Amino acid sequence: MRAEAGGRRRAFLLVELIAVLVIVGSLSCISLQTLSNSQTRERRIILNEAKNFCTWMKHRMALAARESVEFRVMLTQNTDRSYEVTIIWLGGMKNLRHEIYSFDEAVLAYEGVRELIFSGRWFTLTPAATFIVKSRKMPEVRYFVTIAGTGYVDIKDKL
């Protein structure tokens, strides 16, 4: 600011305003970059979780097909409204054994019937299902895992 004769300053100098704008602009660029990096990192983590879930399901489906047995897929809801996937084998070497899949960094969301049946003999899941694997920290980061009735498993970022 410029000083008047009485010692009071009247206005900011242009240089002072430019300096403040440069500082504010730099800080906002840094914060946007940090936010962008954290969202990219979160997307990568959730995609890995979705891939791990797909691999787990594909492995169980292949094992059921090899032995021509069925398994029941049951979804149990936790207190945080996320789901765990429980497989109960119906026949074969693992008859009536349970396997549970739970997520580390993600939560599983699902709308539909709570019990699905996979037939290894026909390689079908009844009914087909789409699970939503989403971030605990950033719910907008999510992937859709679809298991079609024909035993096809796929990951998509949009429906």
Short mmCIF file of all heavy atoms in Angstrom, two decimals, residues 15 49 92 108:
data_model
loop_
_atom_site.label_atom_id
_atom_site.label_comp_id
_atom_site.label_asym_id
_atom_site.label_seq_id
_atom_site.Cartn_x
_atom_site.Cartn_y
_atom_site.Cartn_z
N VAL A 15 2.53 -4.80 -7.55
CA VAL A 15 3.50 -5.86 -7.28
C VAL A 15 3.04 -6.72 -6.10
O VAL A 15 3.14 -7.95 -6.12
CB VAL A 15 4.90 -5.25 -7.00
CG1 VAL A 15 5.89 -6.31 -6.56
CG2 VAL A 15 5.41 -4.50 -8.21
N GLU A 49 -8.44 -54.58 -6.23
CA GLU A 49 -9.39 -55.33 -5.40
C GLU A 49 -10.41 -56.04 -6.29
O GLU A 49 -10.75 -57.20 -6.06
CB GLU A 49 -10.10 -54.40 -4.41
CG GLU A 49 -9.22 -53.88 -3.31
CD GLU A 49 -9.25 -54.73 -2.06
OE1 GLU A 49 -9.82 -55.84 -2.07
OE2 GLU A 49 -8.69 -54.27 -1.07
N GLY A 92 -18.42 -82.88 -4.49
CA GLY A 92 -16.98 -82.89 -4.79
C GLY A 92 -16.12 -83.04 -3.55
O GLY A 92 -16.59 -83.36 -2.46
N LEU A 108 -17.94 -54.10 -0.90
CA LEU A 108 -18.75 -54.70 -1.95
C LEU A 108 -20.19 -54.26 -1.74
O LEU A 108 -20.73 -54.38 -0.64
CB LEU A 108 -18.66 -56.22 -1.87
CG LEU A 108 -19.38 -57.00 -2.96
CD1 LEU A 108 -18.67 -56.81 -4.29
CD2 LEU A 108 -19.46 -58.46 -2.61
#
